[in-house]
Amino acid sequence: MPRPVDSIGFLLGDVVRLMRAEFNRRVQQHGITLAQAKTLRHLARQPGLRQVELAEVLEIAPMTLVRLLDQLGKAGHVERRPDPADRRAFRLYVTPAARPVLAIIARTIRDVRALALRGMNRAERDALVHGLDALKRNLAGAAP
């Protein structure tokens, strides 16, 4: 049987997959998809992004984002405003109507995180975050 350090990529992949699935299961009860939640959360944190910028951040194709924005716009959660610097582009903003949905998303994130960390003490949680941060820095620094 491999030692945990030998299968860290598989473990990380499994944890991410399971956390996403649990998050998605919980928000679907409120008529929200994971993709919509990610889009709203990014726009709430960075209002005024252009569509192309948001597609890059979300790592999705621009056409996929257009469909998501159409859904969120129809629900009254996102609005497109003309970019004053580029008449061909739009800036994106969450609307006040999105606040309850953003609250559901934030609560679900907290709940799924608590579920994932259940049984770990503070020192174990801190060590996990520290270790993951180190992995991230190492890999980010390796890119040319």
Side-chain angles (χ1 to χ4, degrees):
M1 183 165 166
R3 298 174 316 175
V5 73
D6 294 337
S7 60
I8 195 164
F10 289 113
L11 285 170
L12 288 171
D14 284 346
V15 168
V16 168
R17 179 182 52 78
L18 291 167
M19 288 182 78
R20 283 182 177 159
E22 182 62 19
F23 178 88
N24 205 31
R25 186 186 67 75
R26 291 175 183 228
V27 295
Q28 279 181 342
Q29 299 170 11
H30 301 282
I32 307 165
T33 67
L34 174 61
Q36 291 170 339
K38 287 172 64 174
T39 302
L40 285 173
R41 188 127 161 114
H42 277 289
L43 284 179
R45 288 181 167 178
Q46 293 182 282
L49 284 176
R50 292 182 320 151
Q51 287 182 198
V52 67
E53 295 167 333
L54 183 58
E56 286 176 17
V57 169
L58 295 173
E59 298 179 337
I60 60 174
M63 286 308 297
T64 302
L65 178 61
V66 168
R67 285 191 297 274
L68 273 170
L69 293 173
D70 287 346
Q71 293 167 353
L72 292 169
K74 187 175 180 181
H77 300 311
V78 170
E79 65 181 2
R80 295 172 171 107
R81 298 181 197 161
D83 184 340
D86 183 352
R87 62 186 175 145
R88 298 167 298 164
F90 290 96
R91 297 281 177 173
L92 303 166
Y93 299 87
V94 295
T95 65
R99 285 191 188 116
V101 175
L102 287 164
I104 290 167
I105 293 166
R107 184 176 62 245
T108 305
I109 289 168
R110 283 191 308 271
D111 292 348
V112 171
R113 183 184 309 125
L115 174 63
L117 296 172
R118 187 174 54 203
M120 295 176 74
N121 65 38
R122 179 65 180 214
E124 290 169 324
R125 291 192 311 263
D126 290 347
L128 175 62
V129 170
H130 179 75
L132 290 173
D133 189 51
L135 290 175
K136 180 180 173 181
R137 283 193 318 271
N138 292 342
L139 292 168

